[in-house]
Amino acid sequence: MNFLFSKFIEKMLGRATYEYDDTVRRWAAWIKGVPGVYAQGRNVEETRSDLASCLEEYLVVSLQEGAVVSGFKMPKKKIRAKAH
């Protein structure tokens, strides 16, 4: 995961909602306003990790499809690799 994605994912994980479901004895997490990004796990750490992976996939697919992802901004400056 590159730095740009990492910053965005960390920011969005800070907005996540976590709830414990006694019925299934699992944690659930989602991010309001990001459809389809949802995770379940045995503990908060596992759930957060799965949520981060789901969000990364959502971001990649959305950008490939040309969708605007709320809160994600591409850098204005073009980055060029230096020749050695």
Side-chain angles (χ1 to χ4, degrees), residues 1-10 52-53 55-56 59:
M1 182 171 19
N2 72 35
F3 182 70
L4 188 61
F5 279 13
S6 296
K7 280 181 69 171
F8 178 75
I9 289 170
E10 284 301 317
S53 295
L55 180 58
E56 181 180 19
L59 180 60

Side-chain angles (χ1 to χ4, degrees), residues 1-72:
M1 182 171 19
N2 72 35
F3 182 70
L4 188 61
F5 279 13
S6 296
K7 280 181 69 171
F8 178 75
I9 289 170
E10 284 301 317
K11 176 182 173 183
M12 295 305 286
L13 288 175
R15 299 178 183 177
T17 300
Y18 294 85
E19 285 185 5
Y20 186 76
D21 186 339
D22 287 324
T23 317
V24 294
R25 293 191 261 172
R26 307 277 285 183
W27 282 92
W30 62 92
I31 302 169
K32 184 178 178 182
V34 187
V37 176
Y38 173 85
Q40 282 188 322
R42 293 171 288 181
N43 54 50
V44 173
E45 293 81 15
E46 178 182 291
T47 306
R48 185 177 193 278
S49 177
D50 289 350
L51 188 64
S53 295
C54 186
L55 180 58
E56 181 180 19
E57 290 174 21
Y58 172 86
L59 180 60
V60 169
V61 170
S62 295
L63 292 173
Q64 286 174 338
E65 293 178 354
V68 175
V69 179
S70 177
F72 184 79

